[in-house]
Amino acid sequence: DQQVKQNSPSLSVQEGRISILNCDYTNSMFDYFLWYKKYPAEGPTFLISISSIKDKNEDGRFTVFLNKSAKHLSLHIVPSQPGDSAVYFCASHYNQGGKLIFGQGTELSVKP
Amino acid sequence: NAGVTQTPKFRILKIGQSMTLQCTQDMNHNYMYWYRQDPGMGLKLIYYSVGAGITDKGEVPNGYNVSRSTTEDFPLRLELAAPSQTSVYFCASLDRAQETQYFGPGTRLLVL
């Protein structure tokens, strides 16, 4: 039972345009959401997070939106750059030892 | 600033062999985790630890064992390697103040 789902395995975007990566979850007890970025042969690195008490969090070119009623969050990257090409994982944790539940990942390709 | 380190980077095992994947963090984090990532999938939690001497099972613990004798080290043991354990293994530690996990670079394991 996949509690965190990323239904798009891949996304291709032109440099300078907006990238929108989507994530859905099923458990209404989830209270904190994170996005991780992963390059090949490296471990995931933290990108941005959002608490369930907010509906938006922004950090430079990256913005995460949370729609609790729809159990949906999205990551917006504006403008997209070739260096953003990576696999992006959505994850959620709830207060039981900080354990994370990951989505399957979306591979973003930003073309020059 | 080493962060989370993992050894080895890559290993080939024969079916039935055993090995230990090493993980060390220098951030004095109490919480540590082991994940595996199969192709096209998200990371799945194998085991985690909330402090020295305390460990607990995650989502996919079968075939693995862990120990936590110090805050810094969290080794993962495979006793009887099986082809189903071919995967990339990531160790992580949690910064509780930021509610963010920091990952090591991963160990790629091939069981033949």
Side-chain angles (χ1 to χ4, degrees), chain A residues 33 35 48-68 72-76:
Chain A
F33 303 90
W35 284 93
I48 192 169
S49 63
I50 188 166
S51 164
S52 61
I53 62 173
K54 295 185 174 182
D55 55 17
K56 176 182 174 181
N57 189 26
E58 194 171 352
D59 183 2
R61 296 185 297 113
F62 303 91
T63 303
V64 56
F65 295 92
L66 175 62
N67 182 334
K68 283 186 293 184
H72 177 83
L73 62 154
S74 60
L75 174 68
H76 292 211

Side-chain angles (χ1 to χ4, degrees), chain A residues 1-2 31-32 34 36 38 41-46 49 87 89 93 95-105, chain B residues 31 33 35 37 40-45 48 50 57-59 90 94 98-106 108:
Chain A
D1 181 27
Q2 190 77 22
D31 60 5
Y32 197 72
L34 307 92
Y36 279 83
K38 184 183 180 306
E42 294 183 11
T45 55
F46 170 73
S49 63
V87 178
F89 290 100
H93 97 57
N95 285 329
Q96 293 184 18
K99 293 177 288 184
L100 288 177
I101 297 178
F102 283 84
Q104 308 94 311
Chain B
Y31 287 50
Y33 310 83
Y35 295 89
Q37 186 194 8
M41 304 293 289
L43 284 73
K44 293 192 183 296
L45 183 65
Y48 69 104
V50 300
K57 296 178 181 178
E59 188 181 354
F90 292 102
L94 176 68
Q98 298 185 29
E99 295 193 78
T100 301
Q101 290 190 19
Y102 292 89
F103 285 81
R108 185 175 299 271

Side-chain angles (χ1 to χ4, degrees), chain A residues 1-22:
Chain A
D1 181 27
Q2 190 77 22
Q3 296 190 72
V4 177
K5 299 180 185 179
Q6 294 175 255
N7 292 318
S8 298
S10 62
L11 175 67
S12 183
V13 170
Q14 206 68 30
E15 181 180 6
R17 306 294 287 266
I18 184 171
S19 295
I20 301 176
L21 295 93
N22 294 302

